[in-house]
Amino acid sequence: RTIFMLVQNAIWGLLKLECFPRFRTEQGVGDKIKKNAFKALLKNEEAQELISLLDKFLDLNGQFPIQENGVFRATVLPNDAYSEHLHTSLPDIDELWRDSDLMLAFREYLYQQFAHENLSFYLEAANFEYLTDQKEIESRAKEIFEKFVAPGAPLPINLDYVVTQRLQKSLEKPTNMSFKPVTDKIWKVLTNEWFPDFIVSPLYLACN
């Protein structure tokens, strides 16, 4: 039951964070709707099944609505077998900062997936922002760049050419915010790609 709910929540997170934002920004969506392009889709049996599930979902949320600060948030699809979990919400990556055991489990998960350099970079670059001494900023900036970004770096993070060039330009006269654009990018990777997978892993389940 718990595993099913975690998988369900992970899928909801994917829909919420990845699919729906792309849908909203897709060019011509309004025209497609106006032209009734969905009529053909509605004839598809799988689409009809999905619509039926959504109807049930909306009906259940009408009976058991959740509001936080006046903002509606959907529940999971419930059944009688786990009514006590009716209002289960998606785990939040900010839990990592409140639970050291969870952070260690997430780090171990990333090691298993050969992606631990993302978290290592984020932590080092985030701490870098608190530096105030210019000599230390210059020294640490070079260390972080050579460790994670430079050609042949021992823990290379995945950055495109443009981002790398902008970072190199910024580091010509480094400040404690030089890594901020990259730090934000890596945090999005951790939030949208790795954390949803982590919360359905045995390591996460062992922490709960």
Side-chain angles (χ1 to χ4, degrees):
R1 181 179 68 185
T2 301
I3 292 176
F4 173 79
M5 291 178 63
L6 289 171
V7 172
Q8 185 181 51
N9 282 338
I11 295 299
W12 175 252
L14 178 64
L15 291 170
K16 177 182 177 182
L17 298 173
E18 295 287 337
C19 301
F20 187 66
R22 293 178 184 176
F23 168 75
R24 292 185 64 184
T25 58
E26 182 181 350
Q27 294 182 352
V29 167
D31 292 337
K32 292 177 184 178
I33 295 174
K34 291 176 183 178
K35 294 177 182 178
N36 296 319
F38 290 137
K39 284 185 176 180
L41 177 63
L42 296 180
K43 296 178 182 179
N44 183 288
E45 291 184 3
E46 293 181 356
Q48 291 176 356
E49 181 181 0
L50 176 61
I51 291 171
S52 176
L53 286 171
L54 287 172
D55 286 341
K56 179 181 178 182
F57 177 76
L58 293 173
D59 178 63
L60 288 166
N61 276 288
Q63 298 176 43
F64 309 99
I66 292 180
Q67 289 198 357
E68 292 184 357
N69 299 321
V71 178
F72 173 79
R73 187 183 73 190
T75 66
V76 297
L77 287 172
N79 62 36
D80 294 338
Y82 57 94
S83 58
E84 70 272 21
H85 296 293
L86 182 62
H87 291 159
T88 298
S89 60
L90 285 171
D92 190 336
I93 193 169
D94 287 335
E95 291 179 24
L96 295 174
W97 310 117
R98 298 189 291 268
D99 188 333
S100 59
D101 289 338
L102 192 63
M103 175 64 85
L104 291 174
F106 185 49
R107 181 172 177 268
E108 177 60 26
Y109 173 77
L110 292 174
Y111 264 103
Q112 293 178 4
Q113 303 301 316
F114 303 101
H116 61 283
E117 68 279 356
N118 292 291
L119 182 59
S120 296
F121 169 81
Y122 179 83
L123 294 174
E124 290 198 33
N127 288 329
F128 175 82
E129 294 178 13
Y130 291 95
L131 299 180
T132 56
D133 181 78
Q134 185 59 34
K135 288 186 177 180
E136 188 176 5
I137 287 173
E138 293 174 0
S139 174
R140 284 292 293 140
K142 182 179 179 181
E143 290 175 5
I144 293 173
F145 182 84
E146 291 180 349
K147 184 175 181 179
F148 296 101
V149 183
L155 293 174
I157 55 176
N158 186 19
L159 298 177
D160 61 45
Y161 177 79
V162 173
V163 173
T164 302
Q165 291 299 305
R166 288 175 179 170
L167 177 60
Q168 286 181 306
K169 182 69 175 178
S170 175
L171 293 179
E172 291 177 0
K173 295 181 179 180
T175 71
N176 60 351
M177 300 303 290
S178 290
F179 287 101
K180 187 66 165 63
V182 182
T183 304
D184 291 344
K185 176 182 174 64
I186 295 300
W187 182 248
K188 288 181 180 179
V189 170
L190 291 169
T191 301
N192 298 336
E193 295 183 24
W194 293 111
F195 190 73
D197 291 340
F198 168 64
I199 63 176
V200 296
S201 72
L203 281 168
Y204 180 85
L205 296 177
C207 294
N208 290 273

